[in-house]
Amino acid sequence: MSLKSLSKTRWSIAPDRVTIYPYGLSYILAAVVAIIFAAGYFFYTRSMQNSMESSMPLLLVLIVIVILFVGWAGTSIEFDINSGIMRKKLMGFLPISSIPFSRIHGISPVSNMMGSYTYRVFKKDNRYGKGILVSCSYGKNDDPNAIAFVDEVITTVHRHLEAHDSPEDFMPQTIENYTFFNVQGGTYTLKKNRIGSIVFGTLLLAIGIHELTPYAWLGHDINIGRIFFLLFTLIGGPAIILAGFTDITIDKTSRLLTRTNPIGLGNKTYSFDNFNGIQTVRKSTNFIYSGTEVQVYFLKPGTQKEEAIALQSFFSTRKVERFVAELNSIII
């Protein structure tokens, strides 16, 4: 088995269960870590002139860390058809969590800000949360492993999940009052926190201007860090202010979604006829969750290419679910 195939999602399908192994990349990481540890241990024993006995505790710690990587690589997600339960098993045999099929909404793709995506299992009561990872990361929509995963695994799992659904599970949420839109007749305008945008944007811009004065906190040296900081404050500040005054309006009468701002930068108009779905993008900064962005997709007229427009970002999954429900009630 090649290193590339190890890093891809693997699975096995039997009459009574579907088993997925999404953490194969950890095998490669385990090999890399083992090589680094071996070199470090060799250098430590030789340069420090330590005997095998005296350095045995360190060696054991390093071996345990490598074993943990290998064990995590063997972690599986098992859909037990007979019992109707999904289990996550550490090292492929030690159950660490279980969810009845009746509580599972399904397996959905989750995009990130870098353009790649993974597949995760989501529960019915938390459809826009973190989810449970069931695939490796994919960079392209036409990845052969991703296509096979959808055709062979997701289709099979969803067929068995449907047997545990009830009619109440997928009833559309009735929207009578809108939380995230200002409504005037058939026009729905996305609410904006303009005061927050003005305050934060002005603060960034003021800091950037200050750094151009003789009293700059970061000094006056020309280096990459200072240049990036100035660009972030001097461009980011006005951009945040402009975002606060950018209006997104959905008109049910004309069946148009429009994005406008006072200077006309980035103004767009989309027809409901080209609407191609809603997608959520989980954002992270330094691997720390920083919110979920709701995007709507439209096909460019005369092509099959999609164009995305970001509408709103939330930390709370409940707010994401409510926002999507309101959006669906307007566009669909």
Side-chain angles (χ1 to χ4, degrees):
M1 184 177 293
S2 66
L3 290 178
K4 184 177 180 179
S5 62
L6 270 178
S7 65
K8 294 295 185 181
T9 310
R10 295 175 295 115
W11 59 85
S12 64
I13 300 176
D16 63 336
R17 71 191 63 240
V18 176
T19 306
I20 309 170
Y21 301 91
Y23 300 103
L25 181 62
S26 290
Y27 283 121
I28 298 176
L29 295 177
V32 173
V33 168
I35 293 173
I36 294 174
F37 281 177
Y41 179 75
F42 179 80
F43 175 80
Y44 173 77
T45 54
R46 294 299 181 184
S47 63
M48 301 297 180
Q49 296 182 348
N50 288 310
S51 64
M52 180 68 72
E53 291 77 12
S54 62
S55 59
M56 184 60 65
L58 174 63
L59 178 62
L60 292 176
V61 170
L62 298 181
I63 291 175
V64 168
I65 293 175
V66 173
I67 291 175
L68 289 175
F69 270 97
V70 175
W72 184 250
T75 297
S76 64
I77 308 296
E78 177 188 273
F79 293 86
D80 189 327
I81 309 303
N82 293 335
S83 64
I85 294 177
M86 185 199 83
R87 299 182 182 89
K88 184 173 184 178
K89 294 184 175 181
L90 185 64
M91 296 181 286
F93 67 88
L94 183 62
I96 54 177
S97 66
S98 62
I99 305 174
F101 283 7
S102 59
R103 294 178 55 199
I104 297 176
H105 176 264
I107 302 174
S108 301
V110 177
S111 303
N112 60 41
M113 296 302 291
M114 300 302 294
S116 61
Y117 65 98
T118 58
Y119 286 94
R120 293 176 179 267
V121 170
F122 293 94
K123 296 189 290 185
K124 292 173 180 176
D125 61 355
N126 195 9
R127 293 172 54 187
Y128 300 100
K130 182 179 180 181
I132 298 174
L133 185 72
V134 291
S135 81
C136 68
S137 179
Y138 299 110
K140 298 180 180 180
N141 292 332
D142 59 353
D143 188 295
N145 185 256
I147 294 174
F149 184 74
V150 172
D151 292 342
E152 299 177 21
V153 178
I154 295 182
T155 301
T156 301
V157 169
H158 279 190
R159 186 172 66 249
H160 292 292
L161 292 178
E162 289 172 0
H164 296 262
D165 289 335
S166 64
E168 294 78 16
D169 290 334
F170 299 96
M171 290 183 63
Q173 187 175 348
T174 302
I175 304 297
E176 296 179 352
N177 299 305
Y178 288 85
T179 303
F180 302 104
F181 292 89
N182 292 318
V183 184
Q184 291 182 339
T187 302
Y188 301 78
T189 303
L190 186 64
K191 293 180 180 179
K192 290 281 187 177
N193 182 9
R194 287 181 174 167
I195 295 178
S197 297
I198 293 172
V199 171
F200 185 49
T202 302
L203 178 62
L204 279 182
L205 181 59
I207 292 174
I209 294 174
H210 178 272
E211 289 306 298
L212 295 176
T213 69
Y215 307 100
W217 295 315
L218 299 180
H220 300 88
D221 295 335
I222 303 300
N223 53 64
I224 296 297
R226 186 166 184 268
I227 291 173
F228 274 107
F229 182 79
L230 288 174
L231 290 175
F232 173 71
T233 54
L234 295 176
I235 297 177
I240 291 173
I241 296 173
L242 181 61
F245 287 91
T246 298
D247 289 325
I248 295 177
T249 302
I250 305 174
D251 192 327
K252 294 187 72 171
T253 304
S254 63
R255 294 176 53 80
L256 294 175
L257 183 150
T258 58
R259 180 178 64 191
T260 58
N261 61 67
I263 65 174
L265 183 64
N267 286 2
K268 290 283 187 178
T269 299
Y270 303 92
S271 171
F272 286 14
D273 296 333
N274 298 319
F275 176 68
N276 202 41
I278 301 169
Q279 187 168 336
T280 59
V281 179
R282 288 182 62 85
K283 299 184 295 182
S284 60
T285 304
N286 297 327
F287 302 103
I288 299 175
Y289 175 64
S290 57
T292 296
E293 188 173 79
V294 180
Q295 300 178 349
V296 288
Y297 283 77
F298 292 89
L299 292 175
K300 293 183 178 180
T303 71
Q304 290 301 310
K305 293 183 178 180
E306 288 184 325
E307 187 169 338
I309 175 171
L311 297 185
Q312 192 63 279
S313 183
F314 304 95
F315 275 93
S316 168
T317 59
R318 297 295 183 188
K319 289 184 177 180
V320 174
E321 188 165 354
R322 172 69 186 192
F323 183 80
V324 172
E326 291 186 12
L327 193 58
N328 278 323
S329 73
I330 300 170
I331 295 182
I332 298 178

